[in-house]
mmCIF file of all heavy atoms in Angstrom:
data_model
loop_
_atom_site.group_PDB
_atom_site.id
_atom_site.type_symbol
_atom_site.label_atom_id
_atom_site.label_comp_id
_atom_site.label_asym_id
_atom_site.label_seq_id
_atom_site.Cartn_x
_atom_site.Cartn_y
_atom_site.Cartn_z
ATOM 1 N N PRO A 186 10.484 11.519 -8.160
ATOM 2 C CA PRO A 186 10.448 11.715 -9.619
ATOM 3 C C PRO A 186 9.046 11.742 -10.218
ATOM 4 O O PRO A 186 8.855 12.277 -11.314
ATOM 5 C CB PRO A 186 11.263 10.534 -10.157
ATOM 6 C CG PRO A 186 11.262 9.517 -9.055
ATOM 7 C CD PRO A 186 11.241 10.312 -7.786
ATOM 8 N N ASP A 187 8.069 11.167 -9.520
ATOM 9 C CA ASP A 187 6.694 11.145 -10.041
ATOM 10 C C ASP A 187 5.763 12.065 -9.258
ATOM 11 O O ASP A 187 4.539 11.893 -9.303
ATOM 12 C CB ASP A 187 6.145 9.708 -9.999
ATOM 13 C CG ASP A 187 6.987 8.735 -10.799
ATOM 14 O OD1 ASP A 187 7.501 9.139 -11.854
ATOM 15 O OD2 ASP A 187 7.128 7.583 -10.352
ATOM 16 N N HIS A 188 6.315 13.041 -8.566
ATOM 17 C CA HIS A 188 5.475 13.882 -7.710
ATOM 18 C C HIS A 188 4.389 14.599 -8.507
ATOM 19 O O HIS A 188 3.218 14.602 -8.112
ATOM 20 C CB HIS A 188 6.332 14.902 -6.964
ATOM 21 C CG HIS A 188 5.542 15.865 -6.134
ATOM 22 N ND1 HIS A 188 4.834 15.463 -5.015
ATOM 23 C CD2 HIS A 188 5.304 17.204 -6.282
ATOM 24 C CE1 HIS A 188 4.221 16.504 -4.492
ATOM 25 N NE2 HIS A 188 4.482 17.569 -5.239
ATOM 26 N N ASP A 189 4.752 15.208 -9.624
ATOM 27 C CA ASP A 189 3.754 15.934 -10.409
ATOM 28 C C ASP A 189 2.663 15.000 -10.913
ATOM 29 O O ASP A 189 1.469 15.340 -10.886
ATOM 30 C CB ASP A 189 4.427 16.645 -11.587
ATOM 31 C CG ASP A 189 5.277 17.823 -11.145
ATOM 32 O OD1 ASP A 189 5.088 18.297 -10.003
ATOM 33 O OD2 ASP A 189 6.131 18.264 -11.934
ATOM 34 N N LEU A 190 3.062 13.817 -11.385
ATOM 35 C CA LEU A 190 2.079 12.835 -11.833
ATOM 36 C C LEU A 190 1.184 12.405 -10.679
ATOM 37 O O LEU A 190 -0.040 12.298 -10.830
ATOM 38 C CB LEU A 190 2.792 11.628 -12.428
ATOM 39 C CG LEU A 190 1.923 10.425 -12.820
ATOM 40 C CD1 LEU A 190 0.929 10.807 -13.901
ATOM 41 C CD2 LEU A 190 2.801 9.253 -13.266
ATOM 42 N N ALA A 191 1.783 12.164 -9.520
ATOM 43 C CA ALA A 191 1.019 11.718 -8.363
ATOM 44 C C ALA A 191 -0.058 12.717 -7.973
ATOM 45 O O ALA A 191 -1.165 12.334 -7.563
ATOM 46 C CB ALA A 191 1.954 11.463 -7.180
ATOM 47 N N THR A 192 0.239 14.004 -8.090
ATOM 48 C CA THR A 192 -0.760 15.026 -7.743
ATOM 49 C C THR A 192 -1.950 14.985 -8.687
ATOM 50 O O THR A 192 -3.038 15.444 -8.323
ATOM 51 C CB THR A 192 -0.145 16.435 -7.761
ATOM 52 O OG1 THR A 192 0.329 16.735 -9.083
ATOM 53 C CG2 THR A 192 1.005 16.545 -6.771
ATOM 54 N N ARG A 193 -1.768 14.391 -9.878
ATOM 55 C CA ARG A 193 -2.858 14.340 -10.859
ATOM 56 C C ARG A 193 -3.645 13.031 -10.805
ATOM 57 O O ARG A 193 -4.824 13.017 -11.199
ATOM 58 C CB ARG A 193 -2.312 14.527 -12.278
ATOM 59 C CG ARG A 193 -1.607 15.851 -12.514
ATOM 60 C CD ARG A 193 -1.396 16.113 -14.002
ATOM 61 N NE ARG A 193 -0.619 15.074 -14.656
ATOM 62 C CZ ARG A 193 0.716 15.064 -14.731
ATOM 63 N NH1 ARG A 193 1.413 16.048 -14.171
ATOM 64 N NH2 ARG A 193 1.351 14.081 -15.358
ATOM 65 N N VAL A 194 -3.023 11.960 -10.356
ATOM 66 C CA VAL A 194 -3.690 10.656 -10.450
ATOM 67 C C VAL A 194 -4.072 10.056 -9.098
ATOM 68 O O VAL A 194 -4.821 9.072 -9.059
ATOM 69 C CB VAL A 194 -2.816 9.654 -11.234
ATOM 70 C CG1 VAL A 194 -2.570 10.153 -12.648
ATOM 71 C CG2 VAL A 194 -1.500 9.377 -10.516
ATOM 72 N N LEU A 195 -3.563 10.612 -8.007
ATOM 73 C CA LEU A 195 -3.936 10.137 -6.677
ATOM 74 C C LEU A 195 -4.840 11.171 -6.009
ATOM 75 O O LEU A 195 -4.748 12.362 -6.297
ATOM 76 C CB LEU A 195 -2.692 9.891 -5.820
ATOM 77 C CG LEU A 195 -1.689 8.880 -6.370
ATOM 78 C CD1 LEU A 195 -0.474 8.771 -5.444
ATOM 79 C CD2 LEU A 195 -2.326 7.506 -6.565
ATOM 80 N N VAL A 196 -5.693 10.701 -5.118
ATOM 81 C CA VAL A 196 -6.626 11.597 -4.426
ATOM 82 C C VAL A 196 -6.507 11.398 -2.918
ATOM 83 O O VAL A 196 -6.082 10.343 -2.443
ATOM 84 C CB VAL A 196 -8.081 11.369 -4.882
ATOM 85 C CG1 VAL A 196 -8.244 11.737 -6.354
ATOM 86 C CG2 VAL A 196 -8.513 9.920 -4.655
ATOM 87 N N HIS A 197 -6.854 12.427 -2.180
ATOM 88 C CA HIS A 197 -6.855 12.405 -0.706
ATOM 89 C C HIS A 197 -5.460 12.308 -0.106
ATOM 90 O O HIS A 197 -5.327 12.119 1.102
ATOM 91 C CB HIS A 197 -7.706 11.257 -0.157
ATOM 92 C CG HIS A 197 -9.130 11.258 -0.640
ATOM 93 N ND1 HIS A 197 -9.980 12.317 -0.420
ATOM 94 C CD2 HIS A 197 -9.834 10.339 -1.342
ATOM 95 C CE1 HIS A 197 -11.162 12.052 -0.962
ATOM 96 N NE2 HIS A 197 -11.101 10.859 -1.535
ATOM 97 N N GLY A 198 -4.434 12.402 -0.913
ATOM 98 C CA GLY A 198 -3.081 12.261 -0.407
ATOM 99 C C GLY A 198 -2.268 11.377 -1.332
ATOM 100 O O GLY A 198 -2.597 11.214 -2.515
ATOM 101 N N PHE A 199 -1.211 10.764 -0.781
ATOM 102 C CA PHE A 199 -0.271 10.044 -1.618
ATOM 103 C C PHE A 199 -0.040 8.606 -1.157
ATOM 104 O O PHE A 199 0.988 8.011 -1.469
ATOM 105 C CB PHE A 199 1.055 10.812 -1.651
ATOM 106 C CG PHE A 199 0.903 12.194 -2.240
ATOM 107 C CD1 PHE A 199 0.666 13.281 -1.413
ATOM 108 C CD2 PHE A 199 0.968 12.391 -3.604
ATOM 109 C CE1 PHE A 199 0.509 14.560 -1.948
ATOM 110 C CE2 PHE A 199 0.812 13.658 -4.160
ATOM 111 C CZ PHE A 199 0.576 14.746 -3.326
ATOM 112 N N GLY A 200 -0.977 8.048 -0.431
ATOM 113 C CA GLY A 200 -0.876 6.660 -0.032
ATOM 114 C C GLY A 200 -0.255 6.469 1.339
ATOM 115 O O GLY A 200 0.268 7.410 1.941
ATOM 116 N N PRO A 201 -0.297 5.235 1.855
ATOM 117 C CA PRO A 201 0.173 4.942 3.206
ATOM 118 C C PRO A 201 1.609 4.452 3.291
ATOM 119 O O PRO A 201 2.080 4.117 4.369
ATOM 120 C CB PRO A 201 -0.777 3.822 3.635
ATOM 121 C CG PRO A 201 -0.995 3.050 2.358
ATOM 122 C CD PRO A 201 -0.992 4.081 1.252
#
Side-chain angles (χ1 to χ4, degrees):
D187 302 324
H188 176 67
D189 289 342
L190 174 62
T192 62
R193 299 194 302 272
V194 299
L195 301 178
V196 295
H197 304 301
F199 299 93

